[in-house]
Amino acid sequence: MRIELVQGDITEQHVDAIVNAANSSLLGGSGVDGAIHRRGGPAILEECRALRASRYGRGLPPGHAVATTAGNLPARWVIHTVGPVYREEEDLGGILRDCYTRSLAVADELGATTVAFPLISAGAYGWPHDDAIFQALTALRDAVTQVEETRLVLFSGALYTLAAEIATRG
């Protein structure tokens, strides 16, 4: 699988699936989650409400992933995953990596071959950027998947530069 670093807006990625760094409610929020819901339109929220009414009455647990339509986005699907909230005293890196690998498993079920990821848990959930990038790249490099191309979409130039530095270290 090819891993590409991209500086830009994840809602503008022309891929089969866009991954949403969702909150467990699946009902929209701030940051990436809010941007995806706003740009994707009401069809995404409608399917998220249906998921809450059926399989995820208590919300989507951290590290899990589920798909909906992409609505008005330039993708076919949105794969929602909930990252862990960073806690210095507890190693939750495995759950963060699960967000990437379980999203890829959902992409495989859908038949998606191109997937764009945000940097999960690195915003409001407080994960240090350097480690969030390391965890993302580790999970993507180690994944067993039919997905041919993944993009790690970094909103700022500073994050893109940091990711490029970390990626070259291997």
Side-chain angles (χ1 to χ4, degrees):
M1 171 180 63
R2 188 170 74 245
I3 301 169
E4 185 179 339
L5 301 177
V6 176
Q7 180 183 344
D9 182 342
I10 196 161
T11 66
E12 296 176 356
Q13 298 300 305
H14 291 264
V15 290
D16 293 328
I18 291 173
V19 176
N20 180 17
N23 63 55
S24 63
S25 78
L26 296 174
L27 302 179
S30 61
V32 170
D33 192 19
I36 286 173
H37 275 270
R38 279 189 304 279
R39 178 122 188 242
I44 297 172
L45 182 58
E46 184 179 316
E47 285 192 26
C48 285
R49 284 187 176 137
L51 286 167
R52 284 299 305 270
S54 61
R55 299 188 322 198
Y56 298 103
R58 293 180 166 211
L60 185 66
H64 291 246
V66 65
T68 65
T69 182
N72 299 325
L73 294 167
R76 294 178 65 191
W77 302 285
V78 173
I79 300 172
H80 306 267
T81 190
V82 178
V85 174
Y86 180 75
R87 293 186 193 99
E88 190 173 333
E89 67 281 355
E90 188 176 1
D91 181 8
L92 300 173
I95 295 172
L96 182 54
R97 290 186 303 277
D98 284 346
C99 292
Y100 292 92
T101 57
R102 289 185 176 167
S103 293
L104 288 170
V106 170
D108 284 342
E109 292 171 11
L110 296 168
T113 60
T114 56
V115 180
F117 286 90
L119 191 57
I120 299 167
S121 287
Y125 286 9
W127 209 280
H129 293 161
D130 59 341
D131 192 55
I133 292 164
F134 174 79
Q135 298 292 342
L137 292 174
T138 298
L140 294 173
R141 286 178 180 146
D142 293 347
V144 177
T145 181
Q146 298 301 308
V147 172
E148 297 169 6
E149 176 189 320
T150 56
R151 298 177 189 171
L152 185 58
V153 182
L154 303 142
F155 193 72
S156 74
L159 275 179
Y160 175 83
T161 299
L162 180 60
E165 290 171 9
I166 292 169
T168 58
R169 288 186 222 149

